Amino acid sequence: MQQFSDSYILATVESNKAKALELAFDAYWELLFRHAYKKLQSEDLAKDIVQEVFIVLWENMDKLAPQNEVLPYLYAVMRNRILIQYKKDNVRLRYAINNPAQEESAEPSSQQLLLNKELQNIIHDEISKMPSRMKEIYVLKKEENYSIREISEKLNLSEQTVKNQLQNASGRLKERLNSYDPSLFKIGLIISGVYAIVQ
């Protein structure tokens, strides 16, 4: 099948909008489906998302100039749709994180697993970039469940210094999570333990 450039596809909109959509669909449906399936691990969900993406394209084709690029636009729409799909499961994911014992026998959805993994990767990346002392204190508090007093004694630091370092770590994680996606900010804080980090 002949591939047409984005500029040709968008130039076709004025004379034949349906044809322009057909060209875009033929050119990009498979790419978008593969991307959506990779993120969602569900063929039906992926197909639904791609269909929604092309509906959005149809509704907005008249606003795109011929020099615009179609594929980046489609990917941007798809990212938003995938995030919406993730957020539909936020309540259940939050419950699973806060009540792991009750959820052990439950099979988490692919969306929950993907979101959890993505946010965990962001959190771990930010922890790896912390100054060594801050990272050491954060790991003792969050991953090894030391109290502030125990950390103070172990590292021969004042309790206030430990609290200050934990607050700084908390600030870094909050900033990173918020800059990643404000809509996923709270669920990220739950996963990272930032809400309770200085108690």
Side-chain angles (χ1 to χ4, degrees), residues 130 165-175 194 197-198:
M130 290 178 181
Q165 289 286 350
L166 288 170
Q167 286 171 346
N168 289 338
S170 171
R172 287 176 66 119
L173 287 166
K174 286 178 181 178
E175 184 178 347
V194 168
I197 196 170
V198 294

Side-chain angles (χ1 to χ4, degrees), residues 14 43 140 175:
E14 187 173 348
E43 187 173 336
L140 286 171
E175 184 178 347

Side-chain angles (χ1 to χ4, degrees), residues 183-198:
S183 63
L184 297 176
F185 182 50
K186 286 187 178 179
I187 194 70
L189 294 186
I190 290 168
I191 292 172
S192 68
V194 168
Y195 276 147
I197 196 170
V198 294

Side-chain angles (χ1 to χ4, degrees), residues 5-195:
S5 67
D6 287 352
S7 58
Y8 178 83
I9 292 171
L10 292 174
T12 306
V13 172
E14 187 173 348
S15 60
N16 191 336
K17 186 176 177 181
K19 180 65 175 176
L21 183 69
E22 180 183 346
L23 293 173
F25 187 91
D26 289 342
Y28 298 126
W29 186 90
E30 188 174 350
L31 273 175
L32 293 172
F33 173 77
R34 284 199 302 238
H35 182 75
Y37 182 80
K38 183 178 177 183
K39 292 287 187 181
L40 300 169
Q41 294 297 300
S42 165
E43 187 173 336
D44 289 338
L45 273 177
K47 286 179 179 177
D48 289 344
I49 291 287
V50 175
Q51 180 176 329
E52 291 176 23
V53 169
F54 280 104
I55 289 171
V56 172
L57 177 63
W58 171 259
E59 293 171 346
N60 292 280
M61 284 181 99
D62 300 322
K63 302 171 189 173
L64 299 176
Q67 64 268 25
N68 288 141
E69 294 183 57
V70 175
L71 188 57
Y73 175 82
L74 294 174
Y75 273 130
V77 174
M78 172 170 283
R79 179 180 180 274
N80 290 334
R81 289 300 185 275
I82 289 172
L83 286 175
I84 289 169
Q85 185 63 46
Y86 285 165
K87 282 178 275 187
K88 286 179 181 178
D89 287 330
N90 271 1
V91 172
R92 186 168 182 266
L93 176 59
R94 187 180 291 112
Y95 181 84
I97 292 165
N98 289 330
N99 302 277
Q102 291 91 326
E103 289 291 306
E104 282 176 356
S105 63
E107 190 69 30
S109 73
S110 59
Q111 294 93 338
Q112 290 170 356
L113 293 173
L114 286 165
L115 176 59
N116 197 0
K117 183 178 179 182
E118 194 168 357
L119 290 172
Q120 287 283 11
N121 287 341
I122 292 165
I123 291 161
H124 289 154
D125 180 62
E126 187 57 37
I127 292 169
S128 72
K129 294 176 180 176
M130 290 178 181
S132 58
R133 180 63 84 185
M134 182 187 296
K135 179 165 63 175
E136 184 178 19
I137 290 170
Y138 176 88
V139 169
L140 286 171
K141 173 66 176 168
K142 175 61 177 69
E143 298 181 11
E144 299 185 26
N145 297 315
Y146 276 59
S147 69
I148 288 175
R149 175 171 292 181
E150 288 170 335
I151 296 171
S152 171
E153 293 172 355
K154 179 178 177 65
L155 301 180
N156 196 25
L157 297 170
S158 72
E159 290 188 21
Q160 187 58 50
T161 297
V162 173
K163 288 181 181 180
N164 290 344
Q165 289 286 350
L166 288 170
Q167 286 171 346
N168 289 338
S170 171
R172 287 176 66 119
L173 287 166
K174 286 178 181 178
E175 184 178 347
R176 178 71 182 274
L177 289 165
N178 197 42
S179 65
Y180 170 69
D181 190 310
S183 63
L184 297 176
F185 182 50
K186 286 187 178 179
I187 194 70
L189 294 186
I190 290 168
I191 292 172
S192 68
V194 168
Y195 276 147

